Amino acid sequence: MRDDDLAFVERVHRDLRDVRWPEPEEIRATARRRRRRTAAFAAVAVLAAVTGPAYALTERTSAPPTTAVPVATQSPARAEIPLDALLAVTEVPVKGAVQLGDAGLGEVVRLDPTLQRCGDGRGLPAVPAYSRYSRSQTLLSPTGAGRAPTRVELSQDVYRVDPLVSARLFTHLRALLDACPEWHVVENVVAAGETTPNESKHAWETAASNFAGDESILVRHVPFAPRGPASGRTLQRSSPVGMTVVVRVGDLVTVLVPDPGLGLGDADLEALGRTAARRLCPEANPAC
């Protein structure tokens, strides 16, 4: 081998010694983020193909501006909400539930869309609260062999937010509940093959508060059977009473929405909220 070749090999060897190789956990975290981005893009592509341009336009217009969520400066590069920070399948009264999940960045914190519609009409417009990052799960009821699960038994979202955002979130939720004990809205429904105007009534109340974490609210939503404004007759069956559990621990907020078919009472939902609160901080990275 020539002298200049030996000098080149020695120079490469010295340079390699100075290279900082990523730690195994850092490599795995990067791979997880890339997989999540790939899955998200694939899901958006499928939804856009199924629902058409309206979906893409709606979702894009609701996205936060690039300056609204400085993720890179506010949260560590390896920060995340792992699956262990969510309720375990065994902690929900659904035997053999099928678990689906997703993670996101800069997601809007979502509570009760119908309650917010009432607030819009009562002078309480939504103030979008964006999370730094989030994780969600959906538990589906098991079915017979060879058939896919069809019913959502429980959904849970966990958001990491700034302290000011969490304070504003709970203040806004309480204001909505105060402003909307009842709400009447006239919409069109299809009955007996005809489109008929009908009047729907909704009612909300705080079923419990301060039962878990640093802040917590159990919201009860009672939808009444829609009736025709002229005839007064019932046009559709009323939907079952819905419950939403909202709990904050530190800078983490979780929203639980169980299916009414689970038959969980207020005490059961409060206990579920406490279980969810105990999991949040110890398992999150970083902890609260």
Side-chain angles (χ1 to χ4, degrees):
M1 184 178 291
R2 295 180 304 177
D3 291 341
D4 52 347
D5 291 333
L6 288 173
F8 174 77
V9 170
E10 290 176 358
R11 186 165 64 254
V12 171
H13 184 67
R14 286 196 305 271
D15 291 342
L16 286 174
R17 281 203 309 259
D18 295 332
V19 173
R20 176 189 171 274
W21 299 102
E23 295 294 329
E25 180 57 31
E26 185 176 347
I27 295 174
R28 286 194 291 270
T30 301
R32 284 195 299 269
R33 287 193 294 272
R34 287 176 178 171
R35 285 198 301 270
R36 286 198 292 264
R37 284 198 297 268
T38 301
F41 290 144
V44 170
V46 171
L47 287 173
V50 173
T51 59
Y55 169 81
L57 290 174
T58 301
E59 290 301 303
R60 290 178 64 87
T61 54
S62 64
T66 55
T67 58
V69 187
V71 175
T73 60
Q74 292 189 5
S75 54
R78 294 163 62 178
E80 65 173 348
I81 300 172
L83 283 173
D84 289 342
L86 280 67
L87 287 170
V89 175
T90 55
E91 293 168 333
V92 180
V94 181
K95 293 183 179 180
V98 178
Q99 183 182 34
L100 302 177
D102 195 11
L105 295 172
E107 299 287 341
V108 176
V109 180
R110 301 185 186 279
L111 299 177
D112 186 328
T114 308
L115 177 60
Q116 183 54 60
R117 285 178 59 197
C118 173
D120 292 339
R122 302 276 170 91
L124 290 172
V127 180
Y130 296 105
S131 60
R132 297 180 185 178
Y133 43 94
S134 61
R135 185 173 287 277
S136 62
Q137 71 169 340
T138 301
L139 301 183
L140 304 177
S141 59
T143 57
R147 292 189 299 164
T150 55
R151 192 173 77 177
V152 175
E153 299 289 0
L154 180 136
S155 65
Q156 180 183 14
D157 299 303
V158 176
Y159 306 94
R160 180 145 244 159
V161 297
D162 289 328
L164 291 178
V165 171
S166 64
R168 185 171 68 242
L169 182 71
F170 276 81
T171 298
H172 184 65
L173 178 56
R174 292 189 183 95
L176 287 173
L177 290 168
D178 289 340
C180 295
E182 287 190 2
W183 182 50
H184 297 260
V185 58
V186 176
E187 297 176 314
N188 290 329
V189 298
V190 177
E194 297 182 358
T195 301
T196 308
N198 78 96
E199 181 179 299
S200 298
K201 175 184 173 183
H202 299 263
W204 290 271
E205 65 176 352
T206 302
S209 60
N210 300 323
F211 53 86
D214 297 326
E215 287 184 279
S216 54
I217 296 178
L218 176 60
V219 179
R220 179 179 289 111
H221 172 207
V222 182
F224 294 84
R227 298 176 178 273
S231 64
R233 66 185 180 91
T234 300
L235 300 178
Q236 289 180 340
R237 295 177 58 187
S238 62
S239 301
V241 174
M243 305 295 288
T244 302
V245 184
V246 187
V247 178
R248 179 183 69 83
V249 182
D251 60 350
L252 292 167
V253 174
T254 186
V255 181
L256 302 168
V257 182
D259 184 86
L262 285 178
L264 299 179
D266 292 1
D268 300 319
L269 293 172
E270 291 176 34
L272 199 63
R274 286 190 289 271
T275 301
R278 285 194 297 269
R279 279 185 162 272
L280 289 176
C281 284
E283 303 297 343
N285 178 24
C288 299

